[in-house]
Amino acid sequence: MPFLVRRLASTIVMLGIVSVMVFSLMLLMPGDPVKLMLGEATTPELEAQVRQDLGLDLPIHVRYVRWIRDALHWNFGRSIRTQEYVASEAWLHVGPTFEIGVLALGMSLVFGMTLGCVAAYRRGSLWDSGATIGAVVGVCVPHFWLGMLLILFFGAQLGWFPIQGWVRWEESPVGSLKTAFLPALTLAMGLTAETARMTRSAMVEVLNEDYIRTARSKGLSEFLVVTKHALRQALVITATTVGLQIGRLIGGAVLTETIFAVPGLGRWVAEAVFFRDFLVVQFAVVMTAMVVLAVNMLTDLLYALVDPRIRYGTTS
Amino acid sequence: MRRFTTLAMLMTAILCIPAVSSRPAHAAETPVYGGTVRVVSYWKVRSLDPAKSTSGYDHNYLFSLYDTLVDLTPDLKPAPGLAKRWETPDPRTVIFHLQENVTFQDGTPFNADAVKWNFERHMNPATASVQRSDFVNVERIDVLDPRTVKLVLKTPASQLLLLLADRGGMMVSPAAVQKHGKDYGTKYAVGTGPYRLISNRPDEKVEMEAYPGHWRKKNGGPPFLDRLTYFIVPDDATHVLMAENNQADFVFAVPAQDVDRVKKNADLTLLRMVGARTRTIGLNATREPLTKRKVRQALNYAVDRKALAQVIDFGYAVPAVTYIPPSHPVFNKALAPYPYDPAKARQLLREAGYPDGVTVPIALHNAPDRLQTIQAVEAMMKKAGISLDKAVIEPVRVSQRMVSADYTMMLTEWAGRASPLLTLQLNFTPESGYGGARNTHDDAKDVDKLIKAIDATPSPREQEKLFHEVQKLIADRALDLHLTHPDILHAVRKNVRYTMYGDGKLRLGHAWIAK
């Protein structure tokens, strides 16, 4: 229990720091959202009026305090660009990013862990080198190029998937998965590589342990040895990797979402940065920080559950 | 030899036909009702409220939702719109007679009171309307009867009709604005136009359906389509791919490198027209070394515009004289673009006191076509002894620096305006909100005078003479470095019938699908 309380407290402090940082960063960036909004039609009176409407003429600390106060009531203000409430607009964009993220993570876990296991099991063989090369290629290939290739091949040539656009889950789950498949595959390529490498190193270490030799000498099938005994230990490392990847999935989504015209969070935030729509950027950064911190906390809890040494605070 | 020349001339003539005619050969067919058109472009909606719309590409959506008081013909001349006729008893007064039996898409009636309400909404400082400057000249609006509106201006305004064919003249339902408040323009948009809004998913798609109560439809007219879907897809490399795979029917802007694919595709038609956009390098003559006219002229001689059109737009562009394209009614046909003459450029530089050439800073943003353009221009200018000191900046910064005239040279693009006078006013008068501070130098003073004269002249013939004069002055004095006008290139499914307009904006009200 005190573990949980300590983690929660530090999470809140981190969130506070993140919010201050993001607030000041947006203000330090050159570019005035009001001038951007109005374009060449701008006149001094119009500008002053819009500034007042948006509350941009107040001093910074007042604006920050107001923002925190409103945020606690789940009011993150209105987007300068669309005039929609930031929180409700975010809700529209979370769906696609979440769907693609979950699909990408799932794919990468399946492929990555399989590849990693095979590479570790057949260490030093062609399988191993093949998996390593595959991993390097997966990390180095640029997302947008890969995305275009997938669109051309699976979308245009084979016609299996739509070339662009997004079907919402509420409209049609199957249609939604079809539009999510190629973007998820693109993202998964990069993630698979990492997961494969991590799984491989973890497995190599574990497979050398004494208890594996014991399990083998007990007469257990190889399959059981690898999956039930070895993999379970390696899962801890994989869980850490996944925790780190989730943060990247939200950000790395920007390029993929642009190529595949997916109306997700990544694209939304990128647009907001270009338009100095700082309320949107603040919200997005704070929310992302919250998600990453929450995931990390969960990972720690998972550790504690899986490894009794952590739970009881002893070291062997 | 002679046969070859004749053949060459014949081929050139044949090749010119698509550029000259924008109407497909089947213009004599009778429109039929029904069908859906899916449009794809990368233009996001800034606002579906004409008072808040700052982007020149919102028109593609707005012209479907709203009718304007004054309409335009495809070659940009005023025609009856919601106002079926108008008269000017004196240069400062215009009386509009409105069409009968027009209703807004929410059922409320369209009448003179609605017109007055719309104008006053733009004029009211509390609205913060972007089109407010269109109405600063309005002294009074009188409702003479439900079908007649009288507009009294402070000074004669020659371009008023053209402005009322644009966002300032779009009629919005007063009831809808009052009902939806801040949500108007994003979730809701109600006009008298041929299509009404079903949904607007920002950055994703906009869906519209035919408005069956449209005043033109009652006489067997448009809207002909049942439904209109606009996809917003940021990566234009996939737009033509979507059309090829029957996932879109109308590609708004075909990238120049994909034109051949469209031409070879039996299922798609290429619509092409001389564009109203201008690729241009803005010159700030209040900064050295551009204060000397000869230096600016040298810059103009140092660029091969034909080669640029070939390299950047694959030949789908015409060299520019000024911002006014050759297809526009007021274009001065006696003018030609600066020829490519690096020797002359060197000579002018010598005469201006720069025998060893000159280095000039230039700013631009990192769009692929701009980067390509600057590379080509830089190479050309080197031959004339001109070096460019490039600064690549964010798009946001480009527009800000243009507005505050904080640049020496800026590679940018001018999208065009409803009225050519507005283009001239925005670019060449000192009071302009678009970098007017650069227009305070001597060479700009006569241009400013001419522009003000055009504004004050009611007679179209007089206006045309003045337009011709001001274009010549701008070109001779090299106030800017105009490069090319890229063509408007649409790719449509071969059964889609659409008439192109000279300003390159989508007016899908009259579009239909042949069976």
Side-chain angles (χ1 to χ4, degrees):
Chain A
M1 236 350 93
F3 175 74
L4 208 61
V5 169
R6 261 185 295 124
R7 292 294 268 125
L8 265 173
S10 64
T11 307
I12 294 177
V13 169
M14 301 252 347
L15 275 176
I17 298 175
V18 166
S19 70
V20 171
M21 275 175 62
V22 111
F23 207 87
S24 17
L25 264 175
M26 279 307 283
L27 292 171
L28 288 171
M29 265 178 94
D32 184 346
V34 176
K35 282 210 170 77
L36 268 167
M37 245 172 85
L38 297 175
E40 88 224 0
T42 184
T43 60
E45 312 89 52
L46 198 59
E47 246 187 73
Q49 196 188 331
V50 173
R51 223 177 276 280
Q52 201 183 29
D53 272 344
L54 297 172
L56 292 172
D57 52 345
L58 299 165
I60 308 172
H61 54 275
V62 175
R63 279 160 62 184
Y64 180 72
V65 170
R66 281 200 184 186
W67 184 71
I68 295 283
R69 183 198 63 195
D70 290 337
L72 290 171
H73 292 275
W74 206 248
N75 172 14
F76 290 91
R78 282 185 187 265
S79 155
I80 294 179
R81 201 162 61 94
T82 64
Q83 291 301 305
E84 296 252 14
Y85 279 113
V86 170
S88 48
E89 211 187 327
W91 189 242
L92 284 174
H93 297 290
V94 161
T97 305
F98 183 74
E99 210 181 304
I100 294 178
V102 167
L103 204 56
L105 214 52
M107 283 182 196
S108 72
L109 278 174
V110 168
F111 296 147
M113 284 184 16
T114 315
L115 269 178
C117 284
V118 167
Y121 195 66
R122 300 215 183 275
R123 195 162 126 237
S125 73
L126 268 172
W127 287 100
D128 190 8
S129 346
T132 312
I133 294 173
V136 173
V137 169
V139 162
C140 295
V141 165
H143 278 185
F144 55 86
W145 181 75
L146 180 65
M148 287 301 298
L149 277 187
L150 291 175
I151 292 176
L152 274 172
F153 189 62
F154 290 104
Q157 292 256 10
L158 292 176
W160 288 358
F161 301 101
I163 290 168
Q164 289 289 358
W166 181 258
V167 174
R168 295 189 165 258
W169 186 265
E170 308 90 66
E171 285 171 12
S172 155
V174 173
S176 196
L177 283 173
K178 267 179 145 174
T179 48
F181 191 82
L182 289 180
L185 190 61
T186 311
L187 277 175
M189 294 277 193
L191 298 173
T192 304
E194 205 179 30
T195 312
R197 291 295 294 172
M198 295 302 254
T199 310
R200 182 192 174 278
S201 1
M203 283 293 281
V204 161
E205 216 182 283
V206 166
L207 281 171
N208 275 330
E209 293 278 338
D210 290 342
Y211 68 88
I212 295 293
R213 229 181 302 150
T214 315
R216 282 206 183 107
S217 57
K218 264 169 49 179
L220 284 175
S221 73
E222 275 302 295
F223 183 71
L224 265 178
V225 169
V226 170
T227 52
K228 190 165 159 211
H229 293 278
L231 197 55
R232 190 182 277 170
Q233 294 309 110
L235 266 177
V236 175
I237 309 251
T238 316
T240 322
T241 318
V242 167
L244 290 169
Q245 285 176 341
I246 288 188
R248 269 222 313 265
L249 267 177
I250 303 178
V254 178
L255 269 175
T256 319
E257 284 174 13
T258 305
I259 303 163
F260 291 94
V262 174
L265 282 177
R267 233 180 86 189
W268 181 55
V269 176
E271 290 297 320
V273 173
F274 283 129
F275 281 95
R276 306 294 189 271
D277 202 349
F278 52 87
L279 286 172
V280 171
V281 177
Q282 274 158 223
F283 173 78
V285 173
V286 170
M287 285 298 127
T288 310
M290 245 169 68
V291 168
V292 171
L293 288 166
V295 168
N296 282 331
M297 198 165 80
L298 279 169
T299 318
D300 284 351
L301 281 174
L302 196 69
Y303 274 4
L305 271 168
V306 165
D307 190 345
R309 293 174 296 181
I310 299 174
R311 220 186 303 159
Y312 298 119
T314 57
T315 38
S316 68
Chain B
M1 200 59 196
R2 199 171 289 169
R3 208 185 299 157
F4 174 82
T5 322
T6 321
L7 186 65
M9 283 172 65
L10 209 70
M11 301 256 356
T12 319
I14 294 172
L15 285 169
C16 278
I17 289 174
V20 163
S21 86
S22 62
R23 286 173 198 52
H26 27 240
E29 295 171 306
T30 322
V32 293
Y33 289 96
T36 307
V37 166
R38 298 159 297 178
V39 181
V40 64
S41 78
Y42 52 72
W43 294 108
K44 300 181 241 303
V45 179
R46 291 277 187 96
S47 177
L48 295 176
D49 178 356
K52 304 289 164 98
S53 160
T54 50
S55 161
Y57 293 95
D58 278 348
H59 289 100
N60 298 343
Y61 308 101
L62 295 173
F63 281 131
S64 300
L65 297 166
Y66 300 100
D67 289 321
T68 45
L69 209 58
V70 174
D71 237 347
L72 286 181
T73 59
D75 52 355
L76 308 180
K77 300 209 173 74
L82 283 173
K84 64 179 178 202
R85 61 186 170 84
W86 46 85
E87 59 227 15
T88 43
D90 64 74
R92 291 188 325 142
T93 311
V94 190
I95 301 181
F96 293 99
H97 299 271
L98 308 175
Q99 303 274 3
E100 328 251 307
N101 299 321
V102 181
T103 40
F104 285 105
Q105 291 155 359
D106 56 2
T108 56
F110 167 73
N111 50 30
D113 284 312
V115 174
K116 180 169 176 181
W117 184 93
N118 267 283
F119 287 166
E120 286 180 339
R121 181 174 182 239
H122 286 299
M123 289 161 64
N124 183 353
T127 318
S129 165
V130 176
Q131 321 304 336
R132 186 159 162 224
S133 48
D134 288 356
F135 297 92
V136 285
N137 194 17
V138 171
E139 188 180 285
R140 201 171 74 240
I141 311 164
D142 295 330
V143 170
L144 300 181
D145 65 58
R147 295 263 99 68
T148 320
V149 185
K150 179 164 133 186
L151 215 59
V152 179
L153 307 166
K154 294 179 192 146
T155 59
S158 59
Q159 303 291 299
L160 180 71
L161 291 178
L162 288 176
L163 293 176
L164 291 178
D166 203 299
R167 285 178 289 213
M170 286 182 186
M171 292 294 134
V172 169
S173 158
V177 172
Q178 277 150 5
K179 180 170 163 195
H180 298 296
K182 272 208 149 107
D183 283 336
Y184 189 84
T186 50
K187 287 209 187 70
Y188 303 98
V190 178
T192 62
Y195 297 97
R196 67 177 160 209
L197 186 69
I198 302 176
S199 70
N200 170 23
R201 294 233 193 91
D203 299 351
E204 200 185 321
K205 66 178 167 182
V206 182
E207 300 222 52
M208 300 185 190
E209 66 184 355
Y211 171 45
H214 192 251
W215 56 277
R216 283 206 170 101
K217 189 152 187 193
K218 293 173 190 166
N219 305 323
F224 302 108
L225 301 170
D226 292 327
R227 238 182 132 97
L228 209 53
T229 307
Y230 295 84
F231 291 119
I232 299 161
V233 174
D235 188 8
D236 65 357
T238 50
H239 291 181
V240 174
L241 205 57
M242 283 173 82
E244 286 170 340
N245 286 275
N246 201 9
Q247 287 173 25
D249 308 298
F250 197 121
V251 177
F252 174 66
V254 180
Q257 60 265 29
D258 290 337
V259 172
D260 281 341
R261 261 166 66 195
V262 174
K263 283 193 178 153
K264 292 200 183 99
N265 192 318
D267 200 36
L268 299 176
T269 313
L270 181 75
L271 296 179
R272 178 188 175 185
M273 196 177 207
V274 173
R277 307 192 264 151
T278 314
R279 293 195 196 277
T280 186
I281 295 180
L283 303 175
N284 188 344
T286 60
R287 292 198 181 181
E288 295 291 342
L290 303 180
T291 48
K292 298 202 173 68
R293 189 191 300 179
K294 290 205 169 151
V295 174
R296 301 195 305 268
Q297 287 172 334
L299 287 168
N300 269 277
Y301 278 110
V303 175
D304 186 350
R305 289 165 178 76
K306 283 208 193 80
L308 263 182
Q310 202 55 47
V311 167
I312 311 298
D313 291 298
F314 290 75
Y316 294 102
V318 300
V321 178
T322 66
Y323 288 116
I324 298 176
S327 53
H328 199 279
V330 303
F331 177 70
N332 184 345
K333 297 187 175 57
L335 296 176
Y338 274 85
Y340 178 47
D341 196 340
K344 181 130 193 213
R346 275 193 194 273
Q347 188 202 337
L348 284 165
L349 284 176
R350 263 196 303 271
E351 289 171 19
Y354 297 99
D356 303 316
V358 75
T359 304
V360 197
I362 182 167
L364 64 148
H365 76 82
N366 59 0
D369 60 339
R370 311 260 166 118
L371 291 172
Q372 270 186 305
T373 310
I374 197 68
Q375 278 175 2
V377 166
E378 196 180 19
M380 289 175 200
M381 287 199 172
K382 265 221 162 57
K383 297 205 182 95
I386 302 167
S387 310
L388 295 179
D389 184 11
K390 305 187 293 285
V392 180
I393 57 185
E394 260 191 287
V396 164
R397 306 277 273 135
V398 169
S399 44
Q400 284 195 312
R401 284 173 65 170
M402 285 303 279
V403 164
S404 52
D406 178 20
Y407 62 94
T408 310
M409 279 169 66
M410 178 80 78
L411 174 60
T412 178
E413 207 174 89
W414 181 254
R417 287 295 176 281
S419 128
L421 179 63
L422 197 54
T423 294
L424 294 174
Q425 283 170 327
L426 283 168
N427 284 287
F428 299 112
T429 58
E431 319 79 56
S432 159
Y434 190 67
R438 73 162 188 155
N439 297 319
T440 49
H441 63 103
D442 289 333
D443 267 359
K445 292 208 165 83
D446 292 335
V447 173
D448 182 34
K449 261 199 239 134
L450 274 172
I451 294 173
K452 295 197 161 60
I454 298 176
D455 201 8
T457 311
S459 142
R461 207 168 297 160
E462 272 298 309
Q463 270 180 36
E464 200 177 289
K465 273 214 308 233
L466 292 169
F467 267 122
H468 286 193
E469 231 184 283
V470 80
Q471 283 170 70
K472 183 164 198 317
L473 214 53
I474 292 170
D476 286 347
R477 296 205 179 160
L479 292 185
D480 270 326
L481 214 188
H482 299 103
L483 298 171
T484 56
H485 302 292
D487 287 347
I488 305 169
L489 297 164
H490 301 320
V492 307
R493 197 156 302 289
K494 68 170 191 289
N495 60 357
V496 171
R497 302 288 180 259
Y498 173 72
T499 308
M500 292 180 86
Y501 278 70
D503 60 358
K505 311 271 170 139
L506 275 187
R507 287 177 179 77
L508 290 164
H510 296 270
W512 56 285
I513 295 183
K515 295 286 177 267

